[in-house]
């Protein structure tokens, strides 16, 4: 048996930035610091920050007046921003800059007079936030079949944007269907899917070609992690999403001499190592060889919001 690890895997720049924003907010303002929704989709990360003093809420009514509130990496709607202002909250925006880029694209298309389509998953925080960033109706397209059911008048100027964590293959199919029905539609092709999502999907395709089983370490509600599992399955390899080592099942390993391991963009490396250690424990003391596949090098980093590095931010915030 052999363990094969992909590269890249785990945290992307947007996730690293979002977690650091919460950590810095706690350092500067003290506890509690409130966070609207999970800062990123990973329970280990959320629980760790909760132990440090972060309080995660899904309704701003749960946040005391004048408290510090962090918007999650997935972004929020204009309505949420306005409500936070009415409540007098000190807000810090941890929206991934690549999600913010999609917000700007959507707003630009609407200003130009286009009717906007959003390619994404219904109910996902990023989709809700993006659709709520424009003051116009937005049509949601989640699967190819939705294209035929779009109720859009003929000759309507159309544009689309995409959720950043989608499957490349699924998104290409949806865009092709949109162009077939609406030849003049404009949009970013698959460029709206973030670099980290693309890199990890390309890496898992290469991984699937060399292993008998793929394990994706990631949260069950993580869009990009679920897409990695789907990509591996499309390559004809059994694949399972595991949140940590406790989700492993011994029967998966039967007849799988080469096990591939990757991780979603919101998964800390410590969980990957726990899964690897658990795999090692199935060998009755024999140490399994670990192969590290080469992959895209990622050196992307994003700046923190203004004020988070200033030594007097907390004093200013509290007068």
């Amino acid at each position: 048996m052999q363990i094969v690890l992909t590269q890249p895997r785990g945290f992307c720049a947007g996730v690293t930035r979002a977690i650091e924003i919460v950590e810095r907010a706690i350092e500067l303002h003290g506890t509690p610091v409130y966070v609207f929704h999970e800062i990123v989709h990973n329970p280990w990360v959320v629980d760790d920050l909760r132990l440090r003093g972060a309080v995660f809420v899904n309704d701003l009514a749960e946040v005391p007046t004048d408290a510090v509130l962090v918007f999650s990496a997935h972004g929020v709607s204009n309505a949420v921003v306005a409500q936070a202002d009415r409540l007098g909250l000190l807000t810090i925006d941890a929206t991934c800059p690549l999600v913010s880029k999609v917000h700007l694209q959507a707003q630009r298309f609407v200003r130009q007079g286009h009717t906007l389509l959003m390619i994404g998953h219904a109910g996902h925080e990023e989709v809700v936030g993006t659709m709520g960033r424009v003051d116009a109706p937005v049509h949601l397209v989640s699967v190819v079949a939705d294209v035929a059911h779009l109720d859009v008048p003929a000759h309507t100027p159309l544009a689309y944007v995409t959720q950043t964590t989608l499957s490349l293959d699924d998104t290409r199919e949806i865009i092709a269907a949109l162009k077939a029905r609406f030849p003049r539609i404009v949009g970013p092709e698959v460029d709206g899917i973030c670099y980290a999502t693309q890199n990890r999907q390309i890496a898992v395709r290469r991984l699937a070609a060399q292993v008998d089983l793929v394990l994706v370490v990631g949260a069950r509600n993580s869009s990009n992690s679920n897409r990695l599992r789907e990509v591996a399955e499309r390559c004809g390899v059994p694949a399972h999403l595991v949140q940590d080592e406790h989700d492993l099942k011994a029967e998966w390993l039967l007849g799988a001499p080469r096990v591939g391991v990757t991780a979603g963009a919101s998964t800390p490396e410590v969980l990957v190592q726990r899964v690897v250690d658990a795999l090692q424990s199935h060998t009755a003391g024999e140490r399994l060889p670990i192969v590290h596949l080469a992959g895209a090098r990622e050196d992307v980093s994003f700046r923190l919001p203004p004020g988070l590095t200033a030594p007097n931010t907390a004093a200013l915030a509290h007068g």
Side-chain angles (χ1 to χ4, degrees):
M1 188 172 168
Q2 188 177 71
I3 299 171
V4 185
L5 294 175
T6 60
Q7 177 66 30
R9 64 178 182 272
F11 280 178
C12 64
V15 166
T16 298
R17 174 180 180 268
I19 294 170
E20 187 175 356
I21 285 172
V22 178
E23 292 172 340
R24 289 292 294 144
I26 291 171
E27 290 174 10
L28 290 167
H29 302 290
T31 59
V33 164
Y34 291 82
V35 185
F36 187 62
H37 295 321
E38 293 185 349
I39 186 66
V40 297
H41 283 160
N42 188 276
W44 190 94
V45 172
V46 170
D47 288 345
D48 181 62
L49 291 173
R50 187 179 283 118
L51 288 173
R52 303 191 201 188
V55 177
F56 295 88
V57 300
N58 292 315
D59 188 335
L60 294 192
E62 303 173 51
V63 184
T65 303
D66 298 327
V68 177
L69 176 69
V70 178
F71 296 138
S72 82
H74 309 104
V76 298
S77 67
N78 291 335
V80 170
V81 175
Q83 183 184 3
D85 288 343
R86 289 194 302 270
L87 293 172
L89 305 178
L90 173 62
T91 58
I92 303 171
D93 191 359
T95 302
C96 173
L98 298 180
V99 174
S100 296
K101 178 183 175 182
V102 176
H103 293 174
L104 294 174
Q105 288 175 331
Q107 292 162 354
R108 184 175 67 251
F109 284 139
V110 170
R111 285 197 306 270
Q112 293 171 344
H114 293 87
T115 294
L116 189 66
L117 310 179
M118 173 90 203
I119 302 175
H121 298 128
H124 189 280
E125 286 96 330
E126 182 187 333
V127 171
V128 173
T130 299
M131 293 176 69
R133 277 286 172 171
V134 298
D135 298 320
V138 182
H139 299 270
L140 180 63
V141 178
S142 298
V143 294
V144 170
D146 292 339
V147 175
H149 299 293
L150 285 170
D151 185 13
V152 181
H155 307 300
T156 302
L158 294 177
Y160 67 85
V161 293
T162 70
Q163 182 181 338
T164 62
T165 55
L166 298 176
S167 159
L168 288 166
D169 294 334
D170 290 345
T171 305
R172 287 192 183 100
E173 291 175 3
I174 292 173
I175 292 172
L178 286 170
K179 289 184 174 180
R181 183 176 174 194
F182 309 107
R184 295 186 179 181
I185 194 170
V186 295
E189 297 296 334
V190 294
D191 293 343
I193 299 175
C194 87
Y195 78 94
T197 297
Q198 295 193 42
N199 287 345
R200 281 151 189 72
Q201 288 182 22
I202 291 169
V204 85
R205 279 198 199 95
R206 294 173 179 163
L207 176 69
Q210 302 182 47
V211 298
D212 308 289
L213 169 71
V214 170
L215 300 175
V216 179
V217 188
R220 296 184 185 95
N221 64 336
S222 166
S223 175
N224 75 88
S225 297
N226 277 286
R227 302 297 80 75
L228 291 176
R229 177 186 54 79
E230 292 170 359
V231 168
E233 287 179 341
R234 279 191 173 189
C235 295
V237 178
H240 301 280
L241 181 69
V242 295
Q243 293 201 131
D244 55 31
E245 71 276 17
H246 301 295
D247 286 345
L248 284 175
K249 295 183 179 180
E251 58 263 31
W252 294 346
L253 306 179
L254 298 175
R258 287 171 62 86
V259 178
V261 180
T262 187
S266 52
T267 304
E269 181 64 15
V270 62
L271 297 184
V272 176
Q273 294 307 316
R274 287 182 185 178
V275 169
V276 170
D277 290 343
L279 290 172
Q280 296 280 13
S281 70
H282 284 278
T283 61
E286 181 183 353
R287 201 69 186 161
L288 296 177
I290 298 177
V291 176
H292 297 266
L293 293 186
R297 293 179 58 86
E298 294 180 346
D299 55 4
V300 178
S301 62
F302 297 128
R303 294 179 180 177
L304 297 181
L308 276 190
T309 56
N312 61 345
T313 300
L316 290 173
H318 295 283

